[in-house]
Amino acid sequence: DQKEQVTPRRLAGGQFMVQLEAEGSYQCSSTGLIFEVTGRARITYSLLSWSKYARLVQRPWIVGGPLFDVRCSEPGALLCIHFPHCLCLGG
C-alpha cells in the first residue's frame, strides 16, 4: 500500500492545492489527507471552522476532528479520501 508524499501549493485563504499526474495514492505532507485517484486530477482543499457547521450536528453525535472542504477538477478520478483520525481521551 504505497503512498507518494506530495507537498501542496498554498493558495490564498488557507487553501491547499495538489496537481496529481497519474493513478495512485498520494499523501499530503501538510494535512495527512490521502487521495486515491484513477488518473490526472487537481485537488483543492482547506480546513473549515466548525463554528459555522456545529449546529448541523445533532445528538448523539458530537463535533470531533477537523472539517475539510475538498474539491476536485475531475470528480470521476477521485476514488476516495482517507482523513486523519483524531482521538482525545480524558477531556
Side-chain angles (χ1 to χ4, degrees):
D1 195 13
Q2 296 282 57
K3 293 171 210 60
E4 183 177 334
Q5 287 284 319
V6 290
T7 301
R9 186 171 144 209
R10 288 206 164 222
L11 305 176
Q15 291 187 333
F16 299 96
M17 190 272 296
V18 290
Q19 178 69 46
L20 308 175
E21 298 298 333
E23 178 180 4
S25 293
Y26 300 87
Q27 184 168 21
C28 173
S29 62
S30 295
T31 63
L33 291 173
I34 299 170
F35 304 105
E36 292 187 23
V37 295
T38 60
R40 185 182 177 129
R42 182 179 60 254
I43 302 175
T44 306
Y45 48 103
S46 61
L47 281 164
L48 299 178
S49 170
W50 270 111
S51 63
K52 292 182 180 180
Y53 303 98
R55 72 184 189 301
L56 300 173
V57 179
Q58 299 178 4
R59 292 190 181 269
W61 300 101
I62 61 171
V63 171
L67 180 63
F68 289 94
D69 177 23
V70 179
R71 298 166 191 263
C72 183
S73 64
E74 302 294 331
L78 184 58
L79 286 176
C80 66
I81 304 169
H82 300 265
F83 294 94
H85 287 36
C86 297
L87 179 62
C88 179
L89 301 175

